[in-house]
Amino acid sequence: MTIIEPSGNGHEAPRPDGPHAPPPEHTLDEPPLLQLKGIRAAYGPIEVLHGVDLVVPEGSVVALLGPNGAGKSTILKVCSGLLQPSAGEVHLAGRIVNGASADQLARLGVCTIPEGRGIFPNLTVRENLWMATMAGVPLDHVEEVAYARFPRLGERRKQLAGTMSGGEQQMLAMSRALAVNPALLLLDELSMGLAPLVVANLYEIVAQVSEEGVSILVSEQFARTVLGIAQYAAIVLHGNVTREGTPEELEDELSAAYLGS
Amino acid sequence: MQTFLQYTILGLVVGGVYFIAASGLVVTYTTSGIFNFAQGAIAMLAAFTYWQVRWGWGWPAPLALLLVLGVLAPLLGAVLYQVIMKNLRGTSEVTKIIVPVGVMLGFLSLATWIWNPTPRTPRLFYKFFGANATVKIFDVRLTWHEIIAFFLAIVIAGGIAFLFRRTRSGVAMRAVVDDPDLLQLNGGRPERLATLSWAGGAFLAALAGILITPIQGTAMSANALTLLVIDAFAAAMFGRLKSLPRTFVGAIVLGLATNYVIAYFPANKWTWTGAFRSSIPMILLFVVLLVLPQDRLRGATVLRTRERFRMPSLRTAWIAGLVLVVVVWALRTIMATTAINTLAYGITLSIIALSLVLLTGYAGEINLAALSFGAIGTIIVFHYGISGTGNDARMTLWGILLAAVVCAVVGALVALPALRLRGLYLALATMAFGVFVSRMVLTEIGERELFGIKFSIFQGGSLTIPRPEIGPFDFKSNDSFLMLATVVFALMAVGLVSLRHSNYGRRLAAMKDSPAACATLGMSVVRLKLSVFMMSAAIAGVGGVLMSAQLGSVNLDRFDIFLSLVILLLTVVGGIGYASGALFSGVLFGCSILAIQNTLTKLGSDYKSLEAVFGFLVSAVSVMPATIGVTMGKNPSGAITDIVESLEGIKKSKPLMLTMIGLQVLIWALAWQGVINNWHFVIFTAANLLIVPPLGGAVLKNMALKKAGVEPPVPPELIGIDRPFTDDDRLAIEHALGLDAVPLPVSAPVHHQEEAAHAPA
Ligand SMILES: Nc1ncnc2c1ncn2[C@@H]1O[C@H](COP(=O)(O)OP(=O)(O)OP(=O)(O)O)[C@@H](O)[C@H]1O
Ligand SMILES: [Mg+2]
């Protein structure tokens, strides 16, 4: 095994000025913020990803679409460092980060909201926000951002997070993403078990975050909603990325293979 | 009133110390999900170390405290976690219980080794500021030590509450319980938090040990001190290993209860008062376990554990049983009487260990007090199973069967209320039962009268148990008794294997995997659990009866809870899923360790100049079971799995197997005829077992390959010399070393990235 030096000089992770990212055919000095090359990953003996290639350009929103069990969550786990790939490379701003642990990546500016609720149910709202400070932002700032965006959380800072409604829990999870000002945001099924209106609200926030220049990789069942804010989409089938492109380019495949409409 | 006040205050003090110990348990369990059975042993070790530093070397108290509490104890906790407990992730609950138990046993033998338990001058442990530094509160004279202990308990209660509520690390420790992955995604380091909490837990244990030792006022004994802190388990369970306020209440109730018993039970009229007092913590532990609503145990969520056992076929079991009987028979012919007795003792212990194979290996339930059932069986046989007197006294078959039945019934009585318990809770319930038997039943040595019937349970503190006579067979001689024990073991082992292959056995396996799923499938989990526990108790009872018959006379030390733990530990090490694991356990514990120690002692007396060295080795061997035990985290399937796998090659090759058997028969014949002595026999046997298979295997393989016209493979160390090094070789080496699976550590450039990622923030 050798460490392959990535191309580019890469000690910077420049953010583009505008919300719209450069095309995937990036130049050598500007590597994509996140790139997966030939990623294979397995749970025990069962291989779930069979060589995934994926690019998240700077400042763009990329949607992962695909049926249940296709491997979307697994791709996100690999990106966040929770699951080590058995082969392939994860490039973050041009650097190989295979083997970095999830907490190292988190402190490097990768923020992940995992499937289900990304909260600690037995901690209060405020204590949950406190945990977000481990990525290196002060608690005051986190609380300010969270309560300004979601006043409901401010009213319930002493409540146990597990006793709040699903939508409120997801707000709490989102406020971490807002507060820590990440370079890369990984979102897994924000919509799970939520009413469509709440989902739409959440994705409005995601769109705003993206406009601040944060690169976002999001897995979602509500394809219509997420395609409204995504610049690119990738279709995941049976542990492979079968197609990548803009939502317009993928329209046909999406209708046929995924949306069934 | 005076008495009441005095014992209330004393109870509060003792309760306070219990709380300190229990809070340590809560802290470690909270962050790592491991119940630290070694808590008592850490307390004991700390007390001894403190004694050594303070009075052995005469350091001033503050310095000694700083060293023990400030440095050594936290260090010990952190090292324990990093070296041993960390490896327990993803193992079954049995392993999670057995490894800390191994640590506890290791510390115990270590302490006995370093601090000779029977010193010429008694080891005195004084209170802080001495026993005369007292104050009067409500007319009750209290030492400063007691006051300090109580206030420290309150301070620590407040301190831990503060830690868990008001500091980020403390809140993160609670967050680890909820979701360690999510904490990592937040940027936290669960590993570091767990290490920290183990350091804290060890500190609290050490503090409790140093505080309680002089309050109890007894001479320092490793076992007693360890059990003292184990008493705090009841308090920790009252808080369900989670809630500190409840733990505090539990600890205070415990402290008060034990003291009120001393105060209000007439000690001279009721001779059992002392025994009852010391049993209260265990009785409370049992009650607390039964009464409190069950909390979800975290270990239970691990679906796929690292343990795996392959069941041998019934045919293999019969062959193995037969081989065992033949081998023991052959060995018997060349062994001295003492050796025969030692071996017989080992095999009776193996029978007790078989009960654990059934219960734990097959059904996934845990019993930490196997020998206590042996004690009950022995008592039954002593009272109802002996015919004849003096030299003609014999144990009857009916006596043995009655013992088995009674043990099964007692097993049911223990298990029935404990049926809804699982894993750790059940283990603690059986431990409470075991300690209860040791403290209350086996101390019943005097005569009692109940409803006009006079009886004494454990007469005179030592029971004489004769060898059995069954039908025409008399097993009085050492030889015949050894063969009896061996045949009983072999038959029971074959019986267990066939049981495992039956419908019943498959249901046991299903229950082990998921009791909930079994219940939804309409199986009666209750009946299954109860029946397997009864069977297991009966086997342990029979094993215990035979053990007592082998020893001739037994006292309560033979049924000590720590011995039960050693047997369980070694069975798990051997492979709890196999009958051979039980044999491994009994023979290793009953024979090998003793044999090695005896040999070393003899060598020591033969070579006087080296006596100290051999003495050291004797002690080192006593730590052995524990040392092997703590390696379980790395190899949870046990040693037998490895041995069986290494024997696979022999089984496949008939010529090799025949060669080995032939050689062994030859060696045995030579020893039998007295051509070679037993030492040579042992050495040649070891050579035959260890050297012949790999050697013969290699020769045979090459022969086979030559016949097939293939070049024999070049051994790895000669690659590059015998033939050039290829890319395939490199891949093979990386694969063998696991390098292809292990991700490389982050390379330096990532740190540049750190600045980059934060720069725009
Ligand atoms: N912890 C695990 N252990 C074993 N297999 C797993 C584990 N997690 C996921 N899998 C398997 O990996 C495959 C991919 O799962 P993944 O969660 O990535 O799918 P997904 O695309 O996110 O599906 P969904 O849309 O339902 O969330 C599935 O077949 C799943 O059964
Ligand atoms: Mg998913």
Side-chain angles (χ1 to χ4, degrees):
Chain A
M1 261 171 92
T2 45
I3 302 171
I4 299 161
E5 267 302 314
S7 51
N9 48 11
H11 22 229
E12 90 287 37
R15 297 237 174 110
D17 297 320
H20 286 282
E25 298 82 29
H26 53 277
T27 58
L28 274 185
D29 353 298
E30 252 180 83
L33 190 69
L34 177 74
Q35 185 170 19
L36 303 183
K37 286 188 184 165
I39 289 291
R40 291 171 176 276
Y43 295 105
I46 305 157
E47 190 175 89
V48 175
L49 299 182
H50 318 286
V52 167
D53 295 306
L54 187 71
V55 173
V56 179
E58 276 284 345
S60 63
V61 177
V62 178
L64 287 175
L65 303 171
N68 290 125
K72 306 180 295 290
S73 299
T74 311
I75 293 179
L76 290 174
K77 275 189 204 162
V78 168
C79 298
S80 65
L82 277 185
L83 183 68
Q84 296 300 341
S86 45
E89 290 157 12
V90 183
H91 293 245
L92 195 62
R95 299 279 153 176
I96 294 187
V97 293
N98 286 37
S101 65
D103 55 279
Q104 280 171 315
L105 289 178
R107 289 191 299 274
L108 291 183
V110 178
C111 178
T112 312
I113 299 189
E115 208 167 10
R117 305 278 173 255
I119 55 145
F120 300 102
N122 290 311
L123 267 50
T124 63
V125 168
R126 187 165 175 275
E127 285 169 339
N128 263 283
L129 293 176
W130 206 353
M131 293 300 99
T133 64
M134 284 190 282
V137 271
L139 180 59
D140 290 346
H141 174 72
V142 180
E143 281 192 291
E144 205 180 293
V145 172
Y147 301 154
R149 168 69 72 173
F150 306 108
R152 195 114 53 103
L153 293 181
E155 295 158 20
R156 315 196 155 204
R157 49 188 92 178
K158 291 257 165 70
Q159 191 177 338
L160 283 189
T163 62
M164 296 196 305
S165 79
E168 289 163 345
Q169 292 184 10
Q170 208 61 290
M171 288 176 197
L172 181 57
M174 273 306 285
S175 35
R176 175 160 68 90
L178 292 171
V180 300
N181 201 355
L184 173 66
L185 183 56
L186 304 172
L187 300 173
D188 199 355
E189 310 252 350
L190 278 186
S191 62
M192 201 186 249
L194 297 182
L197 202 64
V198 181
V199 176
N201 259 331
L202 283 171
Y203 276 103
E204 246 168 61
I205 296 169
V206 174
Q208 287 168 17
V209 172
S210 152
E211 261 155 44
E212 286 161 22
V214 178
S215 316
I216 299 174
L217 179 61
V218 50
S219 145
E220 186 52 77
Q221 296 285 347
F222 279 63
R224 288 285 172 224
T225 319
V226 72
L227 285 180
I229 63 162
Q231 280 90 44
Y232 305 101
I235 297 182
V236 186
L237 275 179
H238 306 303
N240 287 303
V241 172
T242 50
R243 272 297 300 272
E244 249 186 301
T246 60
E248 298 79 46
E249 287 168 4
L250 295 182
E251 190 67 42
D252 294 346
E253 265 107 323
L254 278 175
S255 325
Y258 179 66
L259 296 172
S261 56
Chain B
M1 192 59 197
Q2 178 69 21
T3 332
F4 176 76
L5 265 182
Q6 173 163 1
Y7 282 96
T8 303
I9 295 184
L10 208 62
L12 289 177
V13 170
V14 174
V17 179
Y18 279 148
F19 170 75
I20 295 177
S23 65
L25 282 169
V26 174
V27 169
T28 43
Y29 187 80
T30 300
T31 44
S32 60
I34 295 167
F35 185 80
N36 187 10
F37 275 89
Q39 189 81 351
I42 294 175
M44 176 273 301
L45 213 53
F48 271 100
T49 314
Y50 181 74
W51 178 88
Q52 184 68 50
V53 179
R54 176 77 179 87
W55 290 286
W57 299 337
W59 289 27
L63 263 186
L65 283 177
L66 186 70
L67 179 71
V68 176
L69 293 180
V71 182
L72 294 180
L75 197 68
L76 178 67
V79 169
L80 263 186
Y81 180 74
Q82 281 294 333
V83 176
I84 296 170
M85 304 302 171
K86 203 166 77 173
N87 298 319
L88 294 182
R89 194 159 284 169
T91 57
S92 72
E93 272 185 68
V94 182
T95 313
K96 281 206 180 89
I97 289 171
I98 215 66
V99 170
V101 164
V103 172
M104 170 175 92
L105 296 171
F107 285 171
L108 270 176
S109 22
L110 197 70
T112 341
W113 174 11
I114 301 177
W115 292 281
N116 177 6
T118 47
R120 274 189 214 100
T121 52
R123 210 169 268 125
L124 296 176
F125 198 113
Y126 301 100
K127 298 183 173 178
F128 294 138
F129 308 114
N132 296 326
T134 55
V135 273
K136 266 200 163 171
I137 299 174
F138 301 124
D139 265 2
V140 178
R141 193 166 283 286
L142 280 177
T143 61
W144 276 108
H145 183 98
E146 286 156 355
I147 295 172
I148 291 176
F150 185 69
F151 280 100
L152 269 180
I154 292 179
V155 168
I156 283 170
I160 298 179
F162 180 83
L163 174 80
F164 277 164
R165 300 275 155 201
R166 296 271 181 274
T167 68
R168 192 174 76 174
S169 301
V171 175
M173 282 181 188
R174 283 164 50 218
V176 173
V177 190
D178 272 357
D179 193 339
D181 281 352
L182 182 60
L183 187 72
Q184 250 194 320
L185 291 177
N186 272 285
R189 302 178 184 85
E191 284 291 301
R192 189 190 281 190
L193 290 169
T195 312
L196 214 67
S197 75
W198 274 79
F203 164 83
L204 292 168
L207 182 60
I210 291 175
L211 287 175
I212 203 157
T213 306
I215 292 182
Q216 292 297 315
T218 42
M220 291 180 72
S221 137
N223 283 16
L225 273 178
T226 304
L227 282 171
L228 215 56
V229 170
I230 287 185
D231 287 348
F233 285 5
M237 276 298 148
F238 190 71
R240 276 188 283 159
L241 291 174
K242 212 165 63 185
S243 149
L244 281 169
R246 296 178 61 138
T247 305
F248 193 84
V249 172
I252 296 295
V253 168
L254 196 62
L256 289 176
T258 47
N259 275 285
Y260 288 153
V261 169
I262 307 178
Y264 294 113
F265 280 39
N268 22 15
K269 201 162 103 214
W270 295 348
T271 44
W272 45 270
T273 299
F276 181 62
R277 194 217 79 92
S278 60
S279 303
I280 284 184
M282 288 300 140
I283 297 173
L284 283 183
L285 174 59
F286 201 79
V287 171
V288 161
L289 285 169
L290 299 187
V291 173
L292 281 189
Q294 283 272 302
D295 189 30
R296 187 177 62 96
L297 272 178
R298 274 187 291 142
T301 57
V302 175
L303 286 177
R304 219 160 274 286
T305 53
R306 280 152 52 204
E307 290 83 354
R308 71 216 144 80
F309 297 112
R310 263 183 297 153
M311 264 308 113
S313 69
L314 198 52
R315 192 169 145 263
T316 317
W318 274 113
I319 295 175
L322 202 66
V323 168
L324 175 72
V325 173
V326 170
V327 166
V328 171
W329 180 83
L331 277 177
R332 187 198 56 137
T333 57
I334 61 169
M335 282 197 311
T337 316
T338 52
I340 288 181
N341 283 337
T342 315
L343 185 59
Y345 177 55
I347 289 181
T348 54
L349 288 184
S350 301
I351 297 176
I352 298 175
L354 267 188
S355 77
L356 301 173
V357 169
L358 172 62
L359 188 69
T360 309
Y362 292 0
E365 307 291 322
I366 300 172
N367 178 6
L368 295 185
L371 275 175
S372 301
F373 290 101
I376 290 168
T378 302
I379 291 171
I380 296 300
V381 161
F382 178 77
H383 287 288
Y384 306 107
I386 297 177
S387 70
T389 51
N391 230 6
D392 294 329
R394 292 289 184 281
M395 189 193 292
T396 59
L397 179 60
W398 296 118
I400 300 177
L401 292 181
L402 183 67
V405 170
V406 171
C407 284
V409 172
V410 174
L413 290 181
V414 176
L416 199 55
L419 273 182
R420 56 195 196 94
L421 304 181
R422 221 180 120 69
L424 176 62
Y425 290 162
L426 179 64
L428 285 173
T430 58
M431 192 187 82
F433 166 74
V435 176
F436 172 80
V437 167
S438 284
R439 287 181 182 174
M440 260 205 98
V441 180
L442 302 187
T443 50
E444 279 297 300
I445 56 181
E447 193 168 70
R448 297 212 176 276
E449 198 178 321
L450 207 64
F451 309 120
I453 305 167
K454 286 200 162 89
F455 64 95
S456 81
I457 298 178
F458 207 72
Q459 209 171 62
S462 165
L463 302 186
T464 306
I465 305 290
R467 302 264 168 87
E469 182 174 5
I470 299 170
F473 302 105
D474 185 1
F475 296 101
K476 177 149 180 61
S477 75
N478 293 323
D479 283 20
S480 58
F481 188 79
L482 171 66
M483 290 323 294
L484 172 71
T486 311
V487 170
V488 169
F489 175 85
L491 286 179
M492 280 187 173
V494 172
L496 282 191
V497 172
S498 76
L499 185 77
R500 178 64 183 77
H501 282 290
S502 70
N503 206 353
Y504 180 81
R506 277 191 290 276
R507 277 188 299 172
L508 284 186
M511 180 177 77
K512 183 181 177 187
D513 276 352
S514 170
C518 288
T520 54
L521 285 175
M523 276 162 52
S524 165
V525 180
V526 170
R527 219 186 309 156
L528 206 57
K529 270 191 180 181
L530 198 61
S531 59
V532 74
F533 209 96
M534 289 172 75
M535 248 190 287
S536 159
I539 296 176
V542 172
V545 166
L546 292 178
M547 179 190 88
S548 303
Q550 164 56 36
L551 293 168
S553 86
V554 285
N555 59 13
L556 80 143
D557 288 343
R558 291 287 180 183
F559 306 106
D560 196 88
I561 184 87
F562 291 122
L563 292 185
S564 294
L565 292 177
V566 174
I567 293 178
L568 175 61
L569 177 82
L570 288 178
T571 312
V572 174
V573 169
I576 191 100
Y578 304 112
S580 35
L583 188 67
F584 172 94
S585 160
V587 171
L588 185 68
F589 181 52
C591 316
S592 308
I593 292 176
L594 272 182
I596 295 171
Q597 284 183 329
N598 290 346
T599 313
L600 289 171
T601 314
K602 181 160 182 309
L603 285 174
S605 61
D606 287 353
Y607 302 94
K608 276 283 175 235
S609 57
L610 292 177
E611 198 171 1
V613 176
F614 287 117
F616 172 84
L617 288 177
V618 170
S619 306
V621 170
S622 69
V623 191
M624 205 168 81
T627 329
I628 355 184
V630 298
T631 60
M632 282 309 294
K634 296 222 165 87
N635 176 20
S637 306
I640 297 292
T641 312
D642 295 351
I643 296 174
V644 167
E645 268 162 22
S646 73
L647 287 183
E648 280 298 290
I650 304 177
K651 239 171 73 185
K652 284 209 190 85
S653 153
K654 279 269 148 54
L656 189 58
M657 191 155 82
L658 290 178
T659 318
M660 280 182 67
I661 293 177
L663 271 177
Q664 194 55 44
V665 170
L666 183 72
I667 298 170
W668 168 73
L670 288 176
W672 184 45
Q673 288 302 320
V675 180
I676 57 174
N677 69 20
N678 284 357
W679 274 116
H680 295 138
F681 174 80
V682 171
I683 294 167
F684 288 149
T685 303
N688 187 23
L689 289 178
L690 296 179
I691 300 174
V692 174
L695 211 68
V699 171
L700 284 172
K701 208 183 217 164
N702 280 352
M703 268 163 46
L705 286 173
K706 280 248 172 61
K707 232 194 250 161
V710 187
E711 272 294 301
V714 182
E717 62 272 21
L718 293 182
I719 296 176
I721 299 173
D722 282 15
R723 68 171 172 74
F725 198 82
T726 64
D727 250 7
D728 282 348
D729 294 330
R730 185 180 61 84
L731 286 179
I733 289 172
E734 280 184 0
H735 184 71
L737 293 175
L739 285 182
D740 50 356
V742 178
L744 279 187
V746 197
S747 48
V750 169
H751 297 293
H752 289 282
Q753 167 72 31
E754 180 166 21
E755 293 148 25
H758 278 287

